């Protein structure tokens, strides 16, 4: 009887070991499949030189809050009438210095193309992937930052009503 119990315990232990092995095998294969997937990422470069920006392109609000630097494009052109908001972490992204003579080799997007790409990127059903880069003047050279784009969110609008009771003692009676 004890021999049968010991055999059953050994079989259960072997089955549990096989389950773990199969699970590990499946997990490793799924990672391998994802690693082989080719992702097509379009790089979008925009030269953000606010001192030389044409009058038609002066739509930027640039701010620095805590570790983030924000670039808000004053154009309610995204879903839910949101404005494209680009950002990066200042403490983690020091940027890459680009010499002035090397700027000619970079294909820059116009502002209208940047807006179109931001709309494509922010669309949930979009299959396109974008990497956004902003290039700004920095002393004699330029500095390039890889930035992120915040996804638009539906604005929650609540209207609070306050009922103000009239003071009956001040009402004139005719």
């Amino acid at each position: 009887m004890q021999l049968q119990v010991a055999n059953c315990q050994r079989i259960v232990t072997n089955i549990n070991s096989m389950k773990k092995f199969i699970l590990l095998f499946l997990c490793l294969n799924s990672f391998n499949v994802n690693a082989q997937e080719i992702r097509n990422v379009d790089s979008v470069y925009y030269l953000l030189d606010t001192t030389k920006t044409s009058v038609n392109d002066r739509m930027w609000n640039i701010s620095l809050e805590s570790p983030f630097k924000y670039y808000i494009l004053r154009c309610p052109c995204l879903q839910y009438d949101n404005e494209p908001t680009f950002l990066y972490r200042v403490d983690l992204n020091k940027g890459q210095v680009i010499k002035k003579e090397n700027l000619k080799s970079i294909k820059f997007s116009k502002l209208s193309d940047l807006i179109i790409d931001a709309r494509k990127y922010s669309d949930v059903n979009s299959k396109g992937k974008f990497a956004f880069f902003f290039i700004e003047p920095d002393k004699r050279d330029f500095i390039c930052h890889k930035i992120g784009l915040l996804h638009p969110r539906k604005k929650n609008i609540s209207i609070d009503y306050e009922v103000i009771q009239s003071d009956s003692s001040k009402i004139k009676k005719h």
Side-chain angles (χ1 to χ4, degrees), residues 7 13 24 26 32 52 58 60 77 82 91 122 124-125 140 146 148 157 164 168 172:
N7 283 339
T13 304
L24 179 65
L26 290 175
N32 190 21
K52 296 180 182 177
R58 290 184 187 163
W60 290 99
C77 49
N82 281 199
D91 57 342
S122 63
V124 177
N125 298 324
R140 293 184 180 182
K146 183 176 182 181
I157 300 173
I164 301 173
S168 61
K172 294 182 181 179

Side-chain angles (χ1 to χ4, degrees):
M1 182 73 157
Q2 288 180 337
L3 185 62
Q4 288 178 339
V5 171
N7 283 339
C8 287
Q9 288 177 344
R10 204 173 318 126
I11 291 171
V12 169
T13 304
N14 287 340
I15 290 174
N16 286 336
S17 298
M18 290 295 284
K19 285 181 184 178
K20 289 178 185 177
F21 177 75
I22 290 171
L23 182 65
L24 179 65
F25 179 76
L26 290 175
C27 287
L28 290 176
N29 279 338
S30 68
F31 289 132
N32 190 21
V33 168
N34 286 336
Q36 292 177 3
E37 180 182 322
I38 298 172
R39 296 184 182 167
N40 189 13
V41 178
D42 290 332
S43 295
V44 178
Y45 291 91
Y46 184 75
L47 180 61
L48 188 62
D49 189 353
T50 54
T51 59
K52 296 180 182 177
T53 304
S54 66
V55 175
N56 295 336
D57 288 350
R58 290 184 187 163
M59 300 172 60
W60 290 99
N61 182 12
I62 302 170
S63 64
L64 183 64
E65 293 180 26
S66 195
F68 294 101
K69 186 169 185 179
Y70 293 91
Y71 302 90
I72 302 170
L73 183 57
R74 294 294 173 196
C75 161
C77 49
L78 295 183
Q79 189 177 16
Y80 309 120
D81 291 331
N82 281 199
E83 298 170 333
T85 303
F86 301 91
L87 71 134
Y88 72 92
R89 282 190 66 135
V90 177
D91 57 342
L92 299 178
N93 185 349
K94 301 298 180 193
Q96 177 183 359
V97 176
I98 298 175
K99 299 288 182 193
K100 192 172 187 176
E101 53 270 7
N102 294 341
L103 282 180
K104 294 176 184 176
S105 64
I106 299 173
K107 183 184 176 204
F108 291 107
S109 293
K110 295 183 289 185
L111 184 62
S112 58
D113 295 332
L114 180 68
I115 293 170
I116 291 168
D117 291 339
R119 289 185 72 163
K120 288 179 189 173
Y121 177 83
S122 63
D123 184 13
V124 177
N125 298 324
S126 174
K127 292 186 170 76
K129 302 288 183 194
F130 295 94
F132 293 99
F133 297 90
F134 278 6
I135 299 175
E136 296 181 284
D138 183 47
K139 299 176 185 166
R140 293 184 180 182
D141 296 321
F142 289 82
I143 191 157
C144 177
H145 292 283
K146 183 176 182 181
I147 57 172
L149 174 64
L150 295 178
H151 286 280
R153 296 179 183 219
K154 190 172 185 178
K155 296 176 184 177
N156 291 331
I157 300 173
S158 63
I159 301 173
D160 291 334
Y161 293 99
E162 184 177 342
V163 178
I164 301 173
Q165 298 291 330
S166 62
D167 189 358
S168 61
S169 64
K170 295 183 181 177
I171 298 176
K172 294 182 181 179
K173 294 182 181 179
H174 296 285

